[in-house]
Amino acid sequence: MKKRRTREVLLMVLFFCLTNIAFGQIQTKTDTILCHNKNLIIEYPAIHKINVVNYEEGYFKIINCVLDSAAIIIHCGSMINLPLTDLSDKIICSEFVLGKYVRSIRGYYMTDNGKKYFREDNYFKYGIAIVYEHVGETKLKSYEHFFNDIKIQ
């Protein structure tokens, strides 16, 4: 009896996981990152690999999203006046600037696998830049949701 119950539970868990994958749901993680005495709260895919690169005036936190080959780059430091993203081979769809406080650039570039999207948000007041890149069309809404929900406290 106990074996049967365990099997039923395992099948329900498997079914739940497969339906989430089938409908494009991304399992996520919420992270709080300290930057210049401010907390940056961001959500990103739960299956990821993180690499942190420190330099004298700050750091880069690179989150490689394993399931869809996208990357999220968080830069905390004093050198955020220029975009992190090389815009020379990219098509810019929108750019938003709010004085000396915020800049947001969105666009795409072409690869052998089709369009790949990027977005870079610079929060000059806090010394924070956040980028997603190499995002496919099917995952674009998820990454936009992640970036639209970023909080700095």
Side-chain angles (χ1 to χ4, degrees):
M1 188 70 158
K2 188 175 181 181
K3 226 182 213 185
R4 184 173 181 205
R5 179 74 177 147
T6 304
R7 190 177 327 155
E8 290 173 355
V9 170
L10 287 174
L11 285 173
M12 284 180 20
V13 169
L14 178 64
F15 177 74
F16 178 73
C17 290
L18 290 176
T19 56
N20 279 344
I21 291 169
F23 293 112
Q25 298 293 321
I26 297 176
Q27 299 298 320
T28 62
K29 174 185 178 174
T30 301
D31 199 359
T32 301
I33 301 164
L34 182 64
C35 183
H36 299 299
N37 297 321
K38 294 290 183 184
N39 286 323
L40 169 70
I41 302 168
I42 184 169
E43 185 179 12
Y44 51 83
I47 301 174
H48 59 275
K49 182 181 175 193
I50 294 178
N51 186 22
V52 177
V53 178
N54 293 299
Y55 69 99
E56 189 174 324
E57 298 171 354
Y59 66 88
F60 290 90
K61 184 173 187 173
I62 301 132
I63 304 164
N64 293 306
C65 307
V66 176
L67 295 179
D68 56 15
S69 75
I72 296 174
I73 302 163
I74 299 168
H75 174 233
C76 178
S78 60
M79 299 172 25
I80 67 160
N81 292 334
L82 298 174
L84 291 175
T85 308
D86 178 12
L87 301 174
S88 62
D89 62 341
K90 310 230 177 1
I91 292 110
I92 297 174
C93 296
S94 69
E95 184 171 1
F96 170 78
V97 178
L98 182 61
K100 296 180 180 180
Y101 302 104
V102 178
R103 174 180 54 213
S104 183
I105 302 170
R106 289 182 175 94
Y108 66 91
Y109 53 96
M110 299 304 292
T111 67
D112 293 340
N113 298 328
K115 283 184 183 179
K116 297 295 180 181
Y117 292 86
F118 73 93
R119 174 176 169 179
E120 179 171 337
D121 293 348
N122 302 98
Y123 300 94
F124 301 114
K125 181 178 178 179
Y126 304 115
I128 299 171
I130 308 165
V131 177
Y132 71 64
E133 62 183 15
H134 205 70
V135 173
E137 261 182 289
T138 59
K139 300 293 183 184
L140 183 59
K141 285 184 181 181
S142 296
Y143 283 87
E144 280 293 311
H145 173 75
F146 297 155
F147 273 49
N148 291 339
D149 283 352
I150 288 173
K151 294 172 185 65
I152 300 175
Q153 302 173 334

Coordinates of all heavy atoms in Angstrom, one line a residue, residues 31 33 40 42 44-45 47-55 58-66 69-76 84 129-134 143 147:
D31 N 16.4 36.6 -5.8 CA 17.7 36.8 -5.2 C 17.8 38.2 -4.7 O 17.3 39.2 -5.3 CB 18.8 36.5 -6.2 CG 20.2 36.3 -5.5 OD1 20.3 36.4 -4.3 OD2 21.1 36.0 -6.3
I33 N 20.6 41.0 -3.8 CA 22.0 41.3 -4.1 C 22.4 42.7 -3.4 O 21.7 43.7 -3.7 CB 22.3 41.3 -5.6 CG1 22.0 39.9 -6.2 CG2 23.8 41.6 -5.8 CD1 21.8 39.9 -7.7
L40 N 19.3 44.9 -4.2 CA 18.7 44.7 -5.5 C 18.0 43.4 -5.5 O 18.6 42.4 -5.2 CB 19.8 44.7 -6.6 CG 19.4 44.2 -8.0 CD1 18.5 45.3 -8.6 CD2 20.6 43.9 -8.8
I42 N 15.9 40.7 -7.5 CA 15.7 40.3 -8.9 C 15.3 38.8 -8.9 O 15.7 38.0 -8.1 CB 16.9 40.5 -9.8 CG1 16.6 40.2 -11.2 CG2 18.1 39.7 -9.2 CD1 17.7 40.6 -12.2
Y44 N 15.0 35.3 -11.4 CA 15.6 34.8 -12.6 C 15.4 33.2 -12.6 O 14.9 32.7 -11.6 CB 17.1 35.1 -12.8 CG 17.9 34.8 -11.6 CD1 18.4 33.6 -11.3 CD2 18.2 35.9 -10.7 CE1 19.2 33.3 -10.2 CE2 19.0 35.6 -9.6 CZ 19.5 34.4 -9.4 OH 20.3 34.1 -8.3
P45 N 15.6 32.6 -13.7 CA 15.4 31.1 -13.8 C 16.1 30.4 -12.7 O 17.3 30.7 -12.4 CB 15.9 30.7 -15.2 CG 15.7 32.0 -16.0 CD 16.0 33.1 -15.0
I47 N 17.2 27.3 -12.7 CA 18.4 26.5 -13.1 C 19.4 27.4 -13.8 O 19.1 27.9 -14.9 CB 17.9 25.4 -14.1 CG1 16.9 24.5 -13.4 CG2 19.1 24.6 -14.6 CD1 16.3 23.4 -14.2
H48 N 20.5 27.7 -13.1 CA 21.4 28.7 -13.6 C 22.8 28.3 -13.1 O 23.0 27.5 -12.2 CB 21.0 30.0 -13.1 CG 20.9 30.1 -11.6 ND1 19.8 29.8 -10.9 CD2 21.9 30.5 -10.7 CE1 20.0 29.9 -9.6 NE2 21.3 30.3 -9.4
K49 N 23.8 29.1 -13.6 CA 25.1 29.0 -13.1 C 25.6 30.4 -12.9 O 25.4 31.3 -13.8 CB 26.0 28.3 -14.2 CG 27.4 28.1 -13.7 CD 28.3 27.4 -14.8 CE 29.7 27.4 -14.4 NZ 30.6 27.0 -15.4
I50 N 26.2 30.7 -11.8 CA 26.6 32.1 -11.5 C 28.1 32.2 -11.4 O 28.8 31.3 -10.9 CB 26.1 32.5 -10.1 CG1 24.5 32.6 -10.2 CG2 26.6 33.8 -9.7 CD1 23.8 33.0 -8.9
N51 N 28.6 33.3 -12.0 CA 30.0 33.6 -12.0 C 30.2 35.0 -11.5 O 29.5 35.9 -12.1 CB 30.7 33.4 -13.4 CG 32.2 33.6 -13.4 OD1 32.8 33.4 -12.3 ND2 32.7 33.9 -14.5
V52 N 31.0 35.3 -10.5 CA 31.2 36.7 -10.1 C 32.6 37.1 -10.4 O 33.6 36.4 -10.1 CB 30.9 36.8 -8.5 CG1 31.2 38.2 -8.0 CG2 29.5 36.4 -8.2
V53 N 32.8 38.3 -11.0 CA 34.1 38.8 -11.3 C 34.2 40.2 -10.6 O 33.4 41.1 -10.8 CB 34.2 39.1 -12.8 CG1 35.6 39.7 -13.1 CG2 34.0 37.8 -13.6
N54 N 35.2 40.2 -9.7 CA 35.4 41.4 -8.9 C 36.5 42.3 -9.6 O 37.4 41.8 -10.2 CB 35.9 41.1 -7.5 CG 34.8 40.4 -6.7 OD1 33.7 41.0 -6.5 ND2 35.0 39.2 -6.3
Y55 N 36.3 43.6 -9.4 CA 37.4 44.5 -9.8 C 37.5 45.6 -8.7 O 36.7 45.6 -7.8 CB 37.2 45.1 -11.2 CG 36.0 46.0 -11.4 CD1 36.2 47.4 -11.4 CD2 34.7 45.6 -11.6 CE1 35.2 48.3 -11.5 CE2 33.7 46.4 -11.7 CZ 33.9 47.8 -11.7 OH 32.9 48.7 -11.8
G58 N 34.1 47.5 -8.0 CA 32.8 46.9 -8.0 C 32.9 45.4 -8.4 O 34.0 44.8 -8.3
Y59 N 31.8 44.9 -9.0 CA 31.8 43.5 -9.5 C 30.8 43.3 -10.6 O 29.9 44.1 -10.8 CB 31.6 42.6 -8.3 CG 30.2 42.7 -7.7 CD1 29.1 42.0 -8.2 CD2 29.9 43.6 -6.6 CE1 27.8 42.1 -7.7 CE2 28.7 43.7 -6.1 CZ 27.6 43.0 -6.6 OH 26.4 43.1 -6.1
F60 N 30.9 42.2 -11.3 CA 30.0 41.7 -12.3 C 29.5 40.4 -11.7 O 30.3 39.5 -11.4 CB 30.6 41.5 -13.6 CG 31.0 42.7 -14.4 CD1 32.3 43.3 -14.2 CD2 30.1 43.4 -15.2 CE1 32.6 44.4 -14.9 CE2 30.5 44.5 -15.9 CZ 31.7 45.1 -15.7
K61 N 28.2 40.2 -11.7 CA 27.6 38.9 -11.4 C 26.9 38.4 -12.7 O 26.0 39.1 -13.2 CB 26.5 39.0 -10.3 CG 26.0 37.7 -9.8 CD 25.1 37.9 -8.6 CE 24.7 36.5 -8.1 NZ 24.0 36.7 -6.8
I62 N 27.4 37.3 -13.2 CA 26.9 36.8 -14.5 C 26.1 35.6 -14.2 O 26.6 34.6 -13.6 CB 28.0 36.5 -15.5 CG1 28.8 37.8 -15.7 CG2 27.5 35.9 -16.8 CD1 30.3 37.6 -15.6
I63 N 24.8 35.6 -14.5 CA 23.9 34.5 -14.3 C 23.6 33.8 -15.7 O 22.9 34.4 -16.5 CB 22.6 35.0 -13.6 CG1 22.9 35.7 -12.3 CG2 21.6 33.8 -13.4 CD1 21.8 36.5 -11.8
N64 N 24.2 32.7 -15.9 CA 23.9 31.9 -17.1 C 22.7 31.0 -16.9 O 22.7 30.2 -16.1 CB 25.1 31.1 -17.5 CG 26.3 31.9 -17.9 OD1 26.2 32.8 -18.8 ND2 27.4 31.8 -17.2
C65 N 21.7 31.3 -17.7 CA 20.4 30.5 -17.6 C 20.5 29.3 -18.4 O 20.5 29.4 -19.7 CB 19.2 31.4 -18.0 SG 19.2 33.0 -17.0
V66 N 20.7 28.2 -17.8 CA 21.1 26.9 -18.5 C 20.0 26.4 -19.5 O 20.4 26.0 -20.6 CB 21.3 25.8 -17.4 CG1 21.6 24.5 -18.1 CG2 22.5 26.3 -16.5
S69 N 19.9 29.3 -22.6 CA 21.2 29.9 -23.0 C 21.2 31.4 -22.9 O 22.1 32.0 -23.5 CB 21.6 29.4 -24.5 OG 20.8 30.1 -25.4
A70 N 20.3 32.0 -22.2 CA 20.3 33.4 -22.0 C 21.2 33.7 -20.8 O 21.7 32.8 -20.1 CB 18.9 33.9 -21.6
A71 N 21.6 35.0 -20.7 CA 22.4 35.4 -19.6 C 21.9 36.7 -19.0 O 21.3 37.6 -19.7 CB 23.9 35.7 -20.1
I72 N 22.0 36.8 -17.7 CA 21.7 38.1 -17.0 C 23.0 38.6 -16.4 O 23.7 37.8 -15.7 CB 20.6 37.9 -15.9 CG1 19.3 37.4 -16.6 CG2 20.4 39.1 -15.1 CD1 18.2 37.0 -15.6
I73 N 23.3 39.8 -16.6 CA 24.6 40.4 -16.1 C 24.2 41.5 -15.2 O 23.5 42.4 -15.6 CB 25.5 40.9 -17.2 CG1 25.8 39.7 -18.2 CG2 26.7 41.5 -16.7 CD1 26.3 40.2 -19.5
I74 N 24.7 41.5 -14.0 CA 24.5 42.6 -13.0 C 25.8 43.2 -12.7 O 26.8 42.5 -12.3 CB 23.8 42.0 -11.7 CG1 22.5 41.4 -12.0 CG2 23.7 43.1 -10.7 CD1 21.9 40.5 -10.9
H75 N 25.9 44.5 -13.0 CA 27.1 45.2 -12.7 C 26.9 46.2 -11.6 O 26.0 47.0 -11.7 CB 27.6 45.9 -13.9 CG 28.8 46.8 -13.7 ND1 28.8 48.1 -14.1 CD2 30.0 46.6 -13.1 CE1 30.0 48.7 -13.7 NE2 30.7 47.7 -13.2
C76 N 27.7 46.1 -10.5 CA 27.6 47.0 -9.4 C 29.0 47.7 -9.3 O 30.0 47.0 -9.1 CB 27.3 46.3 -8.1 SG 27.2 47.3 -6.7
L84 N 26.9 48.6 -21.1 CA 27.6 47.4 -21.1 C 27.5 46.6 -22.4 O 28.4 45.9 -22.9 CB 27.2 46.4 -20.0 CG 27.4 46.9 -18.6 CD1 26.7 45.9 -17.6 CD2 28.9 46.9 -18.3
A129 N 23.9 48.4 -13.1 CA 23.5 48.1 -14.5 C 23.1 46.7 -14.6 O 23.8 45.8 -14.0 CB 24.6 48.4 -15.5
I130 N 22.0 46.4 -15.2 CA 21.4 45.0 -15.3 C 21.1 44.8 -16.8 O 20.4 45.6 -17.4 CB 20.2 44.9 -14.4 CG1 20.5 45.3 -13.0 CG2 19.7 43.4 -14.4 CD1 19.2 45.5 -12.2
V131 N 21.6 43.6 -17.3 CA 21.4 43.3 -18.7 C 20.9 41.9 -18.8 O 21.3 41.0 -18.1 CB 22.8 43.4 -19.4 CG1 22.6 42.9 -20.9 CG2 23.4 44.7 -19.3
Y132 N 19.9 41.7 -19.8 CA 19.7 40.3 -20.2 C 20.1 40.3 -21.7 O 20.0 41.3 -22.4 CB 18.3 39.8 -20.0 CG 17.2 40.4 -20.8 CD1 17.1 40.2 -22.1 CD2 16.1 41.0 -20.1 CE1 16.0 40.7 -22.9 CE2 15.1 41.6 -20.8 CZ 15.0 41.4 -22.2 OH 14.0 41.9 -22.9
E133 N 20.6 39.1 -22.1 CA 21.0 39.0 -23.5 C 20.8 37.6 -24.0 O 20.7 36.7 -23.2 CB 22.4 39.5 -23.7 CG 23.5 38.7 -23.0 CD 24.9 39.2 -23.2 OE1 25.0 40.4 -23.6 OE2 25.8 38.5 -22.9
H134 N 20.8 37.4 -25.3 CA 20.6 36.1 -25.9 C 19.3 35.4 -25.5 O 19.3 34.2 -25.3 CB 21.8 35.2 -25.6 CG 22.1 34.2 -26.7 ND1 22.5 34.5 -27.9 CD2 21.9 32.9 -26.7 CE1 22.6 33.4 -28.7 NE2 22.2 32.4 -27.9
Y143 N 11.5 37.2 -19.4 CA 12.7 38.1 -19.0 C 12.2 39.5 -18.9 O 12.7 40.2 -18.0 CB 13.8 37.9 -20.0 CG 14.6 36.7 -19.8 CD1 14.2 35.5 -20.4 CD2 15.7 36.6 -19.0 CE1 14.9 34.3 -20.2 CE2 16.4 35.5 -18.7 CZ 16.0 34.3 -19.3 OH 16.6 33.1 -19.1
F147 N 12.7 41.8 -15.4 CA 13.2 43.1 -15.3 C 12.2 44.2 -14.9 O 12.6 45.1 -14.2 CB 13.9 43.5 -16.7 CG 15.3 43.0 -16.8 CD1 15.7 41.7 -16.5 CD2 16.3 43.9 -17.2 CE1 17.0 41.2 -16.5 CE2 17.6 43.4 -17.2 CZ 18.0 42.1 -16.9

